[in-house]
């Protein structure tokens, strides 16, 4: 499988992430739970009376930038996804619990925040809190799903989540500001008997805005594991706001030579 078809910006990369408020606060529609006092705010969130004298909290949302989706998610078990926004978390702001909406094979996550300025003239701490949280997907049946943030910071982008019996229950992001690890194809088998036993694949960085062209070949017996790693790494990429003009990949074929898969250009 060509990696470029998976990561080109503007194409679908399955899995929709949407994080909103938990049931103890305000949902993403802005409605109030029983016992809370809410009113509309100018930023599209809702103001919540925290019950503490002099403290007034605001529920808002944070655009998502990166997420980590496992290459294979475990069927019938909740799956934890790491999610991250850009810049710094605002003063006196914390994340709300994620709300995950599942509609068929589409999964939408909306990252919501709660800001509670303290009473009095208290200065904002001179600390940049990274806007990073975790969201838990409900137990899912085996199959392929699309995951996306409800408010992606750089346009609509889907990620692919394949759920199977033998899968992972979590996926962690790299350090903030750093791309995911490069794709190492040396760990995959190259053993073959005929050309049909081989497939052309890419290696190295998975985060190019135009995708990555095939640069080597591996045995088809390892193609499923390779595709899973591509899904996991690509889901963590942060892409530019605009898609550059991308040239097509040069012709290349996977061939079997002397019992090993090679790329013929």
């Amino acid at each position: 499988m060509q990696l470029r078809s998976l990561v080109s910006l503007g194409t679908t990369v399955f899995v929709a992430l949407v994080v909103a408020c938990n049931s103890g606060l305000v949902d993403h529609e802005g409605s109030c739970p029983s016992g809370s006092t809410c009113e509309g705010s100018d930023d599209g969130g809702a103001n919540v009376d925290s019950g503490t004298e002099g403290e007034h909290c605001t529920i808002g949302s944070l655009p998502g930038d990166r997420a980590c989706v496992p290459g294979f998610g475990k069927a019938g078990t909740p799956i934890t996804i790491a999610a991250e926004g850009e810049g710094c978390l605002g003063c006196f702001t914390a994340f709300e619990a994620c709300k995950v909406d599942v509609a068929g094979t589409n999964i939408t996550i909306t990252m919501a925040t709660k800001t509670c300025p303290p009473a009095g003239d208290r200065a904002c701490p001179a600390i940049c809190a990274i806007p990073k949280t975790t969201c838990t997907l409900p137990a899912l049946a085996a199959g392929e799903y699309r995951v996306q943030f409800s408010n992606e910071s750089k346009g609509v982008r889907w990620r692919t989540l394949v759920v199977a019996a033998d899968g992972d229950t979590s996926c962690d992001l790299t350090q903030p500001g750093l791309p995911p690890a490069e794709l190492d194809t040396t760990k995959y088998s190259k053993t073959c008997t005929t050309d049909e036993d081989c497939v052309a694949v890419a290696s190295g960085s998975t985060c190019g805005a135009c995708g990555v062209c095939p640069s080597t070949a591996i045995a088809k017996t390892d193609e499923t594991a390779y595709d899973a790693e591509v899904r996991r790494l690509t889901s963590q990429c942060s892409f530019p706001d605009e898609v550059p003009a991308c040239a097509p990949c040069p012709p290349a074929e996977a061939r079997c030579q002397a019992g090993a898969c090679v790329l013929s250009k």
Side-chain angles (χ1 to χ4, degrees):
M1 176 179 292
Q2 290 191 7
L3 180 57
R4 174 167 292 196
S5 65
L6 291 176
V7 300
S8 293
L9 204 59
T11 60
T12 56
V13 186
F14 295 119
V15 187
L17 302 172
V18 176
V19 183
C21 311
N22 62 15
S23 58
L25 293 166
V26 181
D27 66 22
H28 66 289
E29 296 294 334
S31 59
C32 298
S34 175
S36 297
T37 301
C38 306
E39 59 187 32
S41 64
D42 294 337
D43 62 0
N47 293 331
V48 182
D49 186 347
S50 66
T52 301
E53 184 177 357
E55 187 176 83
H56 199 69
C57 299
T58 301
I59 298 299
S61 61
L62 183 70
D65 181 46
R66 297 199 306 151
C68 187
V69 175
F72 279 108
K74 188 173 180 61
T77 303
I79 300 169
T80 300
I81 290 178
E84 184 180 288
E86 291 186 299
C88 302
L89 201 59
C91 291
F92 315 115
T93 299
F95 277 105
E96 291 290 85
C98 299
K99 177 183 176 182
V100 179
D101 294 324
V102 180
T105 58
N106 291 343
I107 304 173
T108 306
I109 299 175
T110 306
M111 289 200 296
T113 58
K114 182 180 180 181
T115 302
C116 298
D121 188 19
R122 182 176 170 185
C124 179
I127 298 175
C128 178
I130 303 300
K132 181 178 179 181
T133 188
T134 56
C135 307
T136 301
L137 308 185
L140 300 168
E144 188 172 285
Y145 298 82
R146 307 198 307 169
V147 178
Q148 179 203 19
F149 288 113
S150 61
N151 50 351
E152 294 270 357
S153 64
K154 297 177 179 177
V156 176
R157 176 168 171 251
W158 295 94
R159 298 162 179 84
T160 301
L161 172 63
V162 176
V163 177
D166 296 325
D168 296 320
T169 59
S170 65
C171 186
D172 294 325
L173 285 166
T174 55
Q175 291 294 322
L178 296 179
E182 293 195 346
L183 186 58
D184 178 13
T185 57
T186 61
K187 60 187 175 183
Y188 298 113
S189 173
K190 290 181 176 289
T191 302
C192 61
T193 302
T194 68
D195 290 348
E196 287 69 32
D197 296 332
C198 303
V199 60
V201 297
S203 60
S205 173
T206 61
C207 293
C210 287
V212 184
C213 294
S215 57
T216 187
I218 63 172
K220 282 188 177 178
T221 52
D222 275 356
E223 186 177 15
T224 297
Y226 170 86
D227 288 346
E229 185 175 13
V230 169
R231 288 192 297 269
R232 180 180 64 82
L233 294 176
T234 304
S235 73
Q236 303 174 50
C237 296
S238 178
F239 290 108
D241 295 329
E242 297 182 2
V243 183
C246 300
C249 289
E253 294 184 357
R255 296 189 179 278
C256 183
Q257 295 182 2
C261 292
V262 298
L263 191 68
S264 176
K265 298 182 179 180

